[in-house]
Amino acid sequence: MCLADDDFYLPRGLRGAMQILVANENAVACMGQSVGLDVDESSRPYLFSYGESLRGYKVEGSTASERMRRGICDYRSAAFYAMYRRDTFEKIWKNIERSSCPEQIEYEQAMRAYMEGILLTSGEPYWVRSFECDPVASPLDGARSTDFTSWFGASTHDEEKNDFINRLTHTFCMNMSLSKDEGRALVLELCNRIVTGSHVGLSSPPSPTAGALIRLKMLMSRGPAAGLINHLRNSEVGVRLRTLFLHSSRKKLGGDNWDFPGNIAEASEVLTFVGQFISARGGDS
């Protein structure tokens, strides 16, 4: 399994994913449900609804190419955080190389996973995704600002991009009995689907009010007042207002509002741990 260093997995959800893999021999991976974790203005951790698009999600198909097309055409970040059978996990990752584009690694991992078999999801939450800290770029892992679309279209990444295309072409030809031209055509087809916007987000759709405000902001940011809007957005007041809006617009989870009663004790332990960690840092989140 893969897990970011500020996220958590819940034991009950992990056991549920294991049981699904045991019961479905054609599945090579199982993804549990997810919830979000953040810290409010008072340095208190809270959980919120996140990942509705994973409910009932699965990637099936009788052939590898069919599964890859389905998985990439309607893409969600499920394969990357799923639980795998050990031999499949090792087979996938031993052939993936480092990249200046983290998204490229995620998409390649998904393509290789769907080549190996089907992906299922469980009804239990097992991934607590943290939003407390912004991602930090590194020379080894690349920067989030370098997304797949910009990376794939930039000539500055041609060597890395050609290695990626050739590596997958060879893999497809060896494992799917394709000619070199057929393998390369499939790689480029999948990449073009990504570039044209096949990625479906995990977060819940915003409320009508929030959606209207987001659309208004986007409209104003493209008009004559774009400079002023950008200045206000990044000012101390603007950052505070955006943070307050973000926290208030989320569906908080807890108590009677917790959708998964079997995991409430484990989720509470996560919140307790995070609260103790923040307290040890002097409340600085």
Side-chain angles (χ1 to χ4, degrees), residues 62-77:
S62 57
T63 65
S65 58
E66 183 182 357
R67 291 190 297 272
M68 282 190 280
R69 288 187 174 102
R70 287 184 178 179
I72 297 300
C73 183
D74 190 27
Y75 184 81
R76 293 156 173 79
S77 297

Side-chain angles (χ1 to χ4, degrees), residues 46-49 251-260 264 267-268 271:
Y46 67 91
L47 298 173
F48 62 94
S49 182
K251 176 187 174 184
K252 307 296 193 302
L253 299 175
D256 296 336
N257 198 30
W258 180 250
D259 298 330
F260 312 99
I264 192 167
S268 297
L271 291 178

